[in-house]
Amino acid sequence: MKRNTVLKLSGVERHYGQGETLLSILKGADFTLNSGEIVALVAPSGTGKSTLLHVAGLLEHPDGGEVTINGNACDGLPDDKRTTIRRNEIGFVYQFHHLLPEFSAIENIMMPQMIAGLPRKEAKERAGQLLDYMRIGHRGAHRPGELSGGEQQRVAIARAVANAPSLLLADEPTGNLDPETASYVFDALEALVRQSGLAALIATHNHELAGRMDRRVTIADGKVVDF
């Protein structure tokens, strides 16, 4: 499979505060992520993992440098264009699933598709396929409160890829799961990435899972480095 560059960070800087209280988190960070690639982001708390994901996911503007997604430079774009790219090209998974409690599993996965304009019937069909792929098709009618932690996170992953993004960003997606469940959830996530060819950047403290990814990077002195 030919690999294309999905995400490219060039000299990205991100600062918080000002004057004497200025805190520089990213200091000219460079990073490239290709289609079909799973990369682990492993770094101590407070070094900028979440900041990097937020900048890469267009949730925050960098203070310097450039974020490019599928060849499109994003930092000069108006907010509505950035929102469109974020909705169509990027999927997010967090440590806590953030599912809508009043809706069933299948409805949670249908939601982003319908917001993007897909008819309800087609959204439901794709949501059902994703639930089957994550091996929880029989749980589609259940609400989040009726699902186990691992099931909830698999629904969250399915929701993140419902609009067929090219980039998946995950922040500690197995952080609140026991080791056995975390491994099972990662198996499903990895299979989904490999089959679809999307690019995935996964922040994790789990070194065992990190070792199963294509490569590992960390943040050192505000820069992204391989290790």
Side-chain angles (χ1 to χ4, degrees):
M1 178 187 296
K2 181 181 178 181
R3 291 194 169 187
N4 301 313
T5 298
V6 174
L7 171 67
K8 185 175 183 180
L9 307 182
S10 305
V12 167
E13 299 182 6
R14 188 70 176 104
H15 316 297
Y16 298 99
Q18 57 184 350
E20 294 183 358
T21 63
L22 183 67
L23 179 63
S24 295
I25 302 297
L26 300 177
K27 309 173 186 176
D30 298 313
F31 176 69
T32 300
L33 182 65
N34 297 317
S35 58
E37 185 178 31
I38 307 177
V39 174
L41 175 58
V42 183
S45 297
T47 55
K49 295 194 304 296
S50 294
T51 296
L52 182 70
L53 291 173
H54 289 169
V55 171
L58 308 185
L59 294 171
E60 295 184 23
H61 287 270
D63 295 300
E66 187 70 73
V67 177
T68 304
I69 296 178
N70 292 319
N72 297 309
C74 298
D75 296 303
L77 297 176
D79 286 343
D80 62 331
K81 296 291 186 184
R82 288 168 60 89
T83 298
T84 297
I85 292 174
R86 193 165 57 240
R87 182 181 63 210
N88 295 336
E89 300 293 338
I90 306 172
F92 296 91
V93 181
Y94 300 96
Q95 178 175 351
F96 300 101
H97 51 79
H98 298 302
L99 298 174
L100 298 172
E102 66 272 27
F103 293 99
S104 67
I106 196 167
E107 288 170 339
N108 267 275
I109 302 169
M110 291 168 61
M111 200 70 65
Q113 301 178 73
M114 294 174 65
I115 290 173
L118 198 68
R120 180 181 179 85
K121 181 179 179 180
E122 293 178 32
K124 186 174 184 178
E125 181 178 355
R126 174 161 173 77
Q129 292 171 347
L130 286 168
L131 282 171
D132 287 340
Y133 193 87
M134 302 301 281
R135 300 182 182 178
I136 50 173
H138 61 295
R139 304 289 274 164
H142 292 74
R143 294 184 179 183
E146 301 170 315
L147 304 175
S148 69
E151 289 171 337
Q152 290 172 352
Q153 199 62 318
R154 278 181 278 168
V155 173
I157 292 169
R159 180 184 59 184
V161 301
N163 284 340
S166 56
L167 173 63
L168 181 69
L169 301 173
D171 196 354
E172 298 288 349
T174 62
N176 64 333
L177 303 176
D178 64 79
E180 183 178 356
T181 304
S183 180
Y184 192 83
V185 168
F186 181 78
D187 287 345
L189 174 59
E190 181 181 24
L192 195 60
V193 171
R194 301 301 186 197
Q195 190 225 23
S196 64
L198 59 80
L201 177 61
I202 302 174
T204 182
H205 281 105
N206 189 320
H207 287 273
E208 180 180 348
L209 294 184
R212 295 170 55 183
M213 302 189 209
D214 297 321
R215 59 189 173 100
R216 291 178 288 177
V217 299
T218 190
I219 299 175
D221 193 28
K223 299 188 184 323
V224 180
V225 295
D226 287 271
F227 73 102

